[in-house]
């Protein structure tokens, strides 16, 4: 049965609970233990699928089709353990499950309350797969004291009480603010945060303290005394140049040893940190740099493209180069010439998105990359915009566009080169959708197989003609235009196994021009860069040497 580590946060949000959880998971793996990481989010949305990227950052999609918090991306990137639908839950999902049971009569006429019905539902979620791994790391979203988080805190308190002594521990992240005027680190916010946690029956075993300055022994002793933890279990978390330095940094501070000490695992297996030493070496010791533009519509919030940025960094590691990413607002190109903004970049990436806003700018970015022979990677909507650009400017279809934009406008304006996907095959079943369906969870979600055309660039990059990648879309390129587009040099180099859905297009007369309907960034890891991103950065490097 798994040992449980509950990770909570206090003082302020965005302290890095997800990163700390992921790094701890990686360190436990380095000591030979198996791990699984989970996220419990207090918001009332059933999942992040219908939330704006400006609200929540990117939506991370699992192989089994769950739309989840971006922290699950950190978990996968640091541990390599594929996340699944049972690794993410929100208050909305919990309450929805409880109310469905109440409507069915499962509670036999009882009055439904937060305690015990909601808390029991959370505990049932925590128990899923507990016999599969050595450690289960469960991160609670938000900060202690948030009213919507109280059921989760009560549930993990009960869960720890129900289990044998020593099977559950609590790790609490806080902030030690530095006051420049007095030259002091202030411990009082941490004391109050722990006091709030203790008031609901949870006593932290380990404190991870974010700080911009070194934490003197005097402050560590003060925190340990007033927060009732051992001094050696007050762990410093300093700002890092790269998040991939976190496992080594936390190991130096003794986080993994503190966890094993609390669980009384002795003697503790020694860690093998070879993988992370190599990752950090590839980050710190680079040979050159490339400049890549990400032309998107959510560029004001970088977390909207979190996995893409990380996958580009991984591609840089594979080539031992530094990747300089610049965010370019696609809407600018609807008013100005792209050349003024894209000159000097060694490659262009156009990511996914929803809605018509900014799409004409993305089309112009694709045209710039195609005509200037600059490496181009289009992901999801970025692929569709590349196809529309080729249809308009090469195939002579001046009204080419997407059915998505017509649906949004409420009138027919375009010839739908990209159409609303109404049915597809998932496993052995046919899935059907209508435009009028609810938005949440109705897209083509999760991992699907694709067959690559032998002799194409993508087949060479992958080193195989059979792949599976994660999807999140409800519009597709229409194959009835395939012959016309291929006659203009745009090869459909990857298709669904039944041959009905285009997965990849590439330009046959361009050094590196690829569009993919799926999201390859979701599978990239620092110790296993995705082949598309590794080759994309290689192509950018080749371009940089030609300039």
């Amino acid at each position: 049965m798994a040992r449980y580590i509950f990770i909570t946060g206090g003082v302020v949000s965005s302290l890095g609970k997800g990163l700390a959880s992921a790094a701890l998971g990686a360190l436990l793996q380095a000591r030979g233990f198996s791990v699984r990481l989970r996220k419990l989010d207090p918001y009332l949305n059933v999942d992040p699928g219908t939330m704006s990227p400006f609200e929540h950052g990117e939506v991370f999609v699992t192989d089994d089709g769950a739309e989840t918090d971006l922290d699950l991306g950190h978990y996968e990137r640091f541990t390599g353990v594929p996340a699944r639908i049972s690794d993410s839950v929100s208050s909305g999902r919990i309450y929805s499950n409880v109310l469905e049971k109440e409507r069915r009569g499962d509670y036999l006429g009882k009055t439904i309350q937060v305690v015990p019905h909601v808390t029991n539902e959370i505990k049932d979620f925590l128990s899923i797969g507990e016999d599969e791994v050595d450690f289960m790391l469960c991160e609670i979203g938000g900060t202690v004291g948030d009213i919507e988080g109280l059921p989760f805190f009560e549930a993990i308190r009960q869960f720890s009480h129900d289990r044998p002594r020593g099977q559950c521990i609590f790790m609490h992240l806080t902030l030690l603010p530095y006051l420049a005027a007095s030259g002091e680190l202030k411990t009082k916010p941490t004391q109050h945060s722990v006091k709030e946690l203790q008031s609901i029956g949870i006593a932290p075993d380990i404190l991870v303290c974010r700080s911009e300055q070194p934490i003197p022994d005097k402050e560590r002793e003060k925190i340990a005394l007033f927060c009732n933890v051992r001094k050696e279990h007050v762990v410093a978390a300093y700002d890092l140049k790269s998040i991939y330095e976190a496992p080594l940094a936390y190991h130096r501070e003794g986080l993994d040893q503190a966890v094993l000490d609390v669980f009384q695992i002795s003697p503790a297996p020694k860690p093998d940190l070879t993988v992370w030493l190599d990752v950090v070496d590839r980050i710190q010791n680079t040979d050159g740099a490339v400049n890549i533009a990400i032309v998107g519509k959510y560029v004001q919030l970088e977390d909207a493209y979190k996995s893409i940025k990380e996958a580009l960094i991984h591609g840089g590691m594979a080539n031992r180069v530094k990747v300089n990413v610049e965010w370019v607002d696609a809407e600018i190109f609807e008013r100005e010439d792209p050349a003024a903004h894209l000159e000097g970049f060694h490659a262009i990436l156009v990511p996914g998105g929803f809605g018509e806003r900014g799409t004409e700018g993305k089309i112009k970015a694709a045209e710039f990359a195609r005509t200037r022979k600059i490496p181009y990677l289009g992901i999801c909507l970025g692929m569709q915009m590349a196809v529309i650009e080729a249809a308009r400017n090469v195939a002579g279809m001046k009204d080419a566009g997407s059915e998505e934009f017509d649906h949004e406008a409420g009138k027919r304006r375009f010839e739908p080169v990209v159409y609303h996907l109404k049915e597809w095959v998932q496993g052995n079943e046919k899935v059907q959708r209508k435009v009028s369906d609810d938005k949440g969870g109705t897209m083509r979600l999760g991992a699907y197989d694709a067959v690559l055309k032998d002799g194409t660039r993508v087949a060479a990059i992958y080193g195989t003609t059979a792949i599976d990648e994660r999807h999140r879309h409800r519009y597709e390129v229409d194959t009835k235009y395939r012959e016309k587009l291929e006659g203009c040099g745009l090869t459909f180099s990857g298709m669904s196994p039944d041959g009905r859905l285009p997965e990849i297009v590439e330009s046959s007369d361009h050094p590196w021009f690829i569009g993919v309907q799926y999201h390859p960034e979701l599978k990239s890891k620092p110790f296993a860069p995705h082949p598309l991103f590794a080759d994309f950065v290689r192509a950018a490097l080749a371009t940089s040497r030609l300039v």
Side-chain angles (χ1 to χ4, degrees):
M1 190 175 291
R3 295 178 172 90
Y4 280 81
I5 304 170
F6 294 107
I7 299 101
T8 59
V11 184
V12 296
S13 59
S14 302
L15 282 179
K17 292 195 302 297
L19 181 58
S21 303
L24 176 56
L27 289 173
L28 292 171
Q29 280 183 324
R31 290 180 180 267
F33 297 107
S34 59
V35 302
R36 179 162 288 283
L37 290 95
R38 291 196 164 140
K39 180 71 181 289
L40 294 82
D41 272 308
Y43 52 72
L44 285 175
N45 303 69
V46 172
D47 60 42
T50 58
M51 296 169 74
S52 164
F54 293 121
E55 289 276 333
H56 198 261
E58 77 168 4
V59 173
F60 189 82
V61 179
T62 62
D63 281 335
D64 55 4
E67 294 178 289
T68 72
D69 184 84
L70 60 81
D71 276 330
L72 271 74
H74 286 314
Y75 302 164
E76 278 205 23
R77 284 188 283 273
F78 277 76
T79 67
V81 178
R84 56 196 187 198
I85 196 167
S86 58
D87 293 331
S88 177
V89 76
S90 67
S91 288
R93 172 61 65 192
I94 293 294
Y95 282 107
S96 178
N97 290 349
V98 169
L99 293 174
E100 285 175 12
K101 290 180 179 180
E102 187 272 333
R103 292 290 85 187
R104 289 198 307 262
D106 291 2
Y107 297 119
L108 303 176
K110 292 182 180 178
T111 301
I112 310 306
Q113 297 175 290
V114 173
V115 180
H117 301 97
V118 171
T119 51
N120 283 349
E121 190 72 23
I122 297 169
K123 290 192 289 182
D124 289 343
F125 166 79
L126 293 171
S127 301
I128 298 171
E130 64 182 356
D131 57 347
E132 298 175 2
V133 294
D134 298 317
F135 287 95
M136 195 79 78
L137 287 74
C138 303
E139 177 193 348
I140 315 300
T143 56
V144 61
D146 294 345
I147 189 169
E148 61 267 30
L150 287 174
F152 285 108
F153 286 104
E154 173 60 18
I156 63 175
R157 183 198 69 79
Q158 291 181 19
F159 191 90
S160 175
H161 182 72
D162 295 341
R163 297 295 161 124
R165 185 178 295 274
Q167 195 184 341
C168 301
I169 70 170
F170 296 93
M171 186 173 98
H172 191 55
L173 269 78
T174 69
L175 175 69
L176 296 185
Y178 177 75
L179 295 186
S182 59
E184 293 180 302
L185 282 174
K186 306 305 291 185
T187 66
K188 191 63 72 177
T190 293
Q191 294 177 45
H192 280 297
S193 181
V194 172
K195 183 179 179 181
E196 180 76 24
L197 199 59
Q198 290 171 335
S199 72
I200 54 179
I202 296 174
D205 301 284
I206 298 169
L207 289 178
V208 177
C209 301
R210 284 294 302 271
S211 173
E212 296 177 356
Q213 303 288 332
I215 305 175
D217 275 352
K218 178 184 174 183
E219 270 65 33
R220 285 183 193 258
E221 290 171 358
K222 187 176 182 180
I223 293 167
L225 177 64
F226 287 104
C227 296
N228 200 34
V229 298
R230 299 173 67 89
K231 178 186 170 184
E232 57 269 28
H233 294 170
V234 178
V235 177
Y238 302 121
D239 293 345
L240 304 170
K241 291 182 179 179
S242 167
I243 62 172
Y244 299 114
E245 297 175 19
L248 297 180
Y250 275 122
H251 177 66
R252 286 194 300 269
E253 291 297 322
L255 176 60
D256 49 329
Q257 187 61 56
V259 167
L260 298 176
D261 287 347
V262 176
F263 279 118
Q264 298 184 339
I265 298 175
S266 182
K270 293 188 181 300
D272 180 2
L273 298 170
T274 306
V275 167
W276 292 104
L277 289 168
D278 179 62
V279 166
V280 171
D281 178 63
R282 287 176 177 273
I283 293 171
Q284 294 179 346
N285 300 299
T286 56
D287 181 19
V290 294
N291 303 320
I292 296 178
I294 297 180
V295 182
K297 59 166 62 177
Y298 312 118
V299 294
Q300 295 91 334
L301 181 68
E302 293 183 15
D303 274 357
Y305 304 115
K306 185 65 177 176
S307 290
I308 287 177
K309 183 179 180 182
E310 297 308 317
L312 287 171
I313 292 172
H314 306 161
M317 293 180 192
N319 293 276
R320 280 197 177 271
V321 297
K322 181 181 179 183
V323 177
N324 298 315
V325 172
E326 187 165 324
W327 309 89
V328 182
D329 190 342
E331 290 186 88
I332 292 174
F333 301 157
E334 296 175 5
R335 304 183 300 270
E336 302 175 23
D337 183 0
H341 299 272
L342 296 179
E343 292 280 7
F345 287 106
H346 306 128
I348 296 169
L349 189 151
V350 175
F354 297 91
E356 188 173 4
R357 182 179 64 82
T359 54
E360 291 298 326
K362 290 186 175 186
I363 289 169
K364 288 186 177 180
E367 180 184 17
F368 181 87
R370 179 180 60 80
T371 56
R372 299 293 186 95
K373 305 298 185 184
I374 297 172
Y376 175 90
L377 176 57
I379 295 175
C380 198
L381 185 66
M383 166 187 164
Q384 295 171 7
M385 297 304 98
V387 170
I388 291 172
E389 189 277 325
R392 289 181 183 177
N393 299 324
V394 184
M397 300 166 59
K398 298 302 181 185
D399 294 327
S402 172
E403 208 171 29
E404 178 180 7
F405 311 150
D406 282 347
H407 289 159
E408 188 177 356
K411 58 182 178 181
R412 173 82 184 260
R413 298 169 295 158
F414 297 111
E415 183 171 354
V417 173
V418 177
Y419 73 104
H420 182 263
L421 185 59
K422 297 174 180 64
E423 64 177 45
W424 64 89
V425 175
Q426 184 173 18
N428 296 320
E429 297 181 2
K430 182 184 287 186
V431 181
Q432 294 184 318
R433 291 286 183 262
K434 301 188 298 293
V435 175
S436 58
D437 285 345
D438 289 344
K439 299 302 182 188
T442 58
M443 287 183 275
R444 188 174 181 233
L445 292 165
Y448 286 86
D449 294 335
V451 179
L452 309 186
K453 188 176 180 180
D454 202 18
T456 57
R457 180 179 295 278
V458 289
I461 291 171
Y462 276 98
T464 182
T465 56
I467 63 170
D468 71 278
E469 295 281 3
R470 296 176 188 174
H471 294 67
R472 184 176 182 251
H473 62 102
R474 56 171 57 90
Y475 291 86
E476 272 277 359
V477 173
D478 197 331
T479 52
K480 76 179 183 182
Y481 298 98
R482 177 176 180 173
E483 186 176 341
K484 192 167 189 177
L485 289 166
E486 288 199 323
C488 299
L490 198 65
T491 303
F492 284 57
S493 52
M495 300 291 293
S496 60
D498 61 7
R500 296 177 63 188
L501 304 178
E503 295 281 8
I504 310 172
V505 297
E506 61 181 70
S507 177
S508 55
D509 57 355
H510 191 286
W512 210 101
F513 191 99
I514 294 174
V516 296
Q517 184 59 70
Y518 49 83
H519 290 269
E521 70 274 16
L522 300 179
K523 285 195 169 186
S524 189
K525 301 168 185 65
F527 43 80
H530 192 285
L532 268 179
F533 281 90
D535 204 63
F536 180 55
V537 173
R538 180 204 58 75
L541 183 62
T543 301
S544 73
R545 289 171 175 167
L546 294 173
V547 175

